[in-house]
């Protein structure tokens, strides 16, 4: 592994329509611990991929956004694919963890279920879904990598925990929690993809309405008017 060329200036983006963030001047940079620099690069990559798509973001774009040299990026990562994979893992963790904590902390499982529905489809979640699906589309396989897979499994466990809580309290009727959890996640993924494609259009309220009807059927709940 070569030395980290921290002082080298990043090259400009590959095309005029690329990201325009100004690089940090060499005399303004300070040497930071390895994990800090890695995190800085990953956090810079998330909005770039979300806005432009994984296939249109290169090393120079990420370096410019992070305010480091291209050499520093390649010192810490094997390439764009690795950066995007780890950036998506950060996004997944930042999206699912607080939602899981919130829905499980509410007084009843029914309230937690509504927090879940509102949490997976709201004005803030489109970026998450765009990043998630784009990372799949840009890879050789549609399966998430090991980091993403573990986080996805953790999220499924939280959903199952909420459903189990409601079943045990008598709020829900659910003969097979695991199967309901699988169907729930599949429906969320499908609705999210439909919403991003926009053909035909699917509003946030429509997505939530479809999800509520599904859960009402699966869990024996009265449907909202």
């Amino acid at each position: 592994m070569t030395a980290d060329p921290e002082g080298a200036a990043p090259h400009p983006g590959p095309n005029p329509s690329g990201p325009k963030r100004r690089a940090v001047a060499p005399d303004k940079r300070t040497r930071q611990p390895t994990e800090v620099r890695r995190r800085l690069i990953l956090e810079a990559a998330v909005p770039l991929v979300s806005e432009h798509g994984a296939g249109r973001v290169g090393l120079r774009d990420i370096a410019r956004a992070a305010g480091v040299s291209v050499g520093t990026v390649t010192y810490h990562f094997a390439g764009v694919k690795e950066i995007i994979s780890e950036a998506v893992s950060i996004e997944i963790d930042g999206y699912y963890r607080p939602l899981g904590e919130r829905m499980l902390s509410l007084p009843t499982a029914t309230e937690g279920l509504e927090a879940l529905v509102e949490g997976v489809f709201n004005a803030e979640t489109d970026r998450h879904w765009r990043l998630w699906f784009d990372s799949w589309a840009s890879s050789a396989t549609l399966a998430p990598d090991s980091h993403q897979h573990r986080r996805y499994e953790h999220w499924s466990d939280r959903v199952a925990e909420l459903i189990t809580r409601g079943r045990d309290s008598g709020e829900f009727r659910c003969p097979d929690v695991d199967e309901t959890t699988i169907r729930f996640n599949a429906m969320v993924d499908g609705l999210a993809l439909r919403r991003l494609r926009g053909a035909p259009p699917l509003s946030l309220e429509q997505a939530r309405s479809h999800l509520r009807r599904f859960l009402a059927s699966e869990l024996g709940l009265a449907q909202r008017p």
Side-chain angles (χ1 to χ4, degrees):
M1 181 178 292
T2 59
D4 178 2
E6 184 66 27
H11 295 286
N15 60 70
S17 62
K20 299 295 186 181
R21 286 186 56 179
R22 184 183 299 276
V24 176
D27 61 346
K28 300 295 184 181
R29 298 184 190 131
T30 57
R31 188 168 183 82
Q32 298 169 315
T34 296
E35 287 309 310
V36 172
R37 290 200 299 279
R38 283 180 60 88
R39 184 80 181 197
L40 178 68
I41 293 166
L42 292 172
E43 290 177 346
V46 169
L48 290 179
V49 175
S50 179
E51 181 179 357
H52 300 285
R56 298 182 62 190
V57 174
L59 289 173
R60 288 182 174 83
D61 303 309
I62 295 171
R64 177 176 292 274
V68 299
S69 69
V70 173
T72 295
V73 175
T74 57
Y75 175 82
H76 292 291
F77 298 96
V80 173
K81 183 177 179 180
E82 181 184 2
I83 295 172
I84 291 175
S85 174
E86 293 198 30
V88 170
S89 295
I90 289 176
E91 176 73 7
I92 292 171
D93 194 50
Y95 173 75
Y96 285 124
R97 185 183 297 275
L99 175 56
E101 292 173 351
R102 184 167 67 255
M103 72 189 193
L104 291 171
S105 68
L106 291 170
T108 68
T110 301
E111 292 174 278
L113 198 68
E114 182 57 25
L116 172 59
V117 171
E118 295 285 343
V120 293
F121 289 113
N122 59 57
E124 303 299 322
T125 56
D126 280 355
R127 188 187 82 158
H128 164 80
W129 293 116
R130 187 173 296 107
L131 184 67
W132 175 260
F133 286 120
D134 190 64
S135 70
W136 282 0
S138 66
S139 66
T141 173
L142 292 181
D145 66 20
S146 59
H147 298 294
Q148 296 170 19
H149 184 72
R150 284 194 298 271
R151 285 168 169 82
Y152 200 74
E153 283 189 332
H154 181 76
W155 167 248
S156 295
D157 290 343
R158 299 290 75 75
V159 174
E161 184 178 347
L162 177 66
I163 295 173
T164 299
R165 178 188 174 194
R167 183 193 63 185
D168 293 347
S169 68
E171 297 172 72
F172 307 154
R173 295 194 303 273
C174 183
D176 193 325
V177 172
D178 289 339
E179 286 299 314
T180 294
T181 299
I182 290 171
R183 288 192 289 271
F184 169 82
N185 285 329
M187 185 166 191
V188 170
D189 290 346
L191 289 171
L193 182 57
R194 161 81 176 273
R195 176 165 167 74
L196 289 182
R197 289 183 61 193
L202 182 71
S203 70
L204 287 172
E205 189 49 51
Q206 286 173 325
R208 290 192 290 258
S209 179
H210 286 308
L211 205 51
R212 289 188 185 107
R213 285 197 294 271
F214 166 80
L215 290 169
S217 175
E218 285 279 324
L219 303 177
L221 303 172
Q223 293 191 35
R224 288 172 45 163

